[in-house]
């Protein structure tokens, strides 16, 4: 089957490899819980653009899952703190009433 492996996506000091789903910050691998990784991937793939809440909810939790109303905010908050702690050079912005976006800072 083969083909060309997709190039890693670079945002700030963070590199995301779509083929392996590996996250690196300045040569260090960052291990993330499954949902935080999925959220980061959705945001990084649309770096610099707003990703709507509804899209994130359906991708992360599915349409049938019983999810508390603030589950996404909690997930975003944890990911934001982790990226700050790791000095990823990213800003995870909340676009009130619309969604979230990630961009270099």
């Amino acid at each position: 089957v083969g083909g060309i492996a997709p190039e890693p996506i670079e945002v700030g000091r963070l590199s995301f490899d779509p083929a392996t789903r590996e996250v690196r910050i300045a040569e260090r691998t960052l291990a993330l819980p499954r949902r935080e990784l999925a959220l980061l991937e959705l945001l990084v793939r649309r770096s610099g653009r707003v990703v709507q809440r509804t899209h994130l909810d359906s991708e992360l939790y599915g349409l049938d899952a019983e999810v508390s109303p603030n589950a996404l905010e909690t997930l975003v908050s944890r990911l934001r703190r982790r990226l700050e702690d790791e000095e990823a050079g990213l800003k995870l912005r909340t676009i009130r009433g619309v969604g979230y976006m990630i961009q270099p800072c």
Side-chain angles (χ1 to χ4, degrees):
V1 178
I4 299 168
E7 288 290 311
I9 301 166
E10 312 252 337
V11 186
R13 296 176 61 219
L14 181 139
S15 172
F16 175 80
D17 186 336
T20 61
R21 299 188 80 217
E22 182 180 69
V23 178
R24 298 180 71 80
I25 297 172
E27 303 308 310
R28 288 190 324 274
T29 301
L30 178 63
L32 292 172
R34 185 177 59 88
R35 279 222 169 101
E36 284 180 42
L37 178 61
L39 172 61
L40 181 66
E41 180 175 2
L42 289 165
L43 293 169
V44 164
R45 285 178 179 274
R46 292 177 177 82
S47 173
R49 300 191 307 248
V50 178
V51 183
Q52 295 188 341
R53 274 193 71 92
T54 51
H55 178 72
L56 292 172
D57 277 335
S58 68
E59 289 291 318
L60 294 169
Y61 302 108
L63 299 173
D64 302 331
E66 286 292 319
V67 181
S68 68
N70 66 342
L72 184 57
E73 284 84 356
T74 303
L75 192 62
V76 166
S77 174
R78 283 201 310 259
L79 181 59
R80 182 181 284 137
R81 190 170 332 116
R82 201 180 302 266
L83 293 173
E84 286 169 5
D85 290 348
E86 293 290 332
E87 299 176 354
L90 296 176
K91 188 168 188 66
L92 204 173
R93 295 185 44 209
T94 302
I95 311 302
R96 192 176 296 281
V98 181
Y100 298 92
M101 98 188 242
I102 207 164
Q103 62 191 130
C105 53

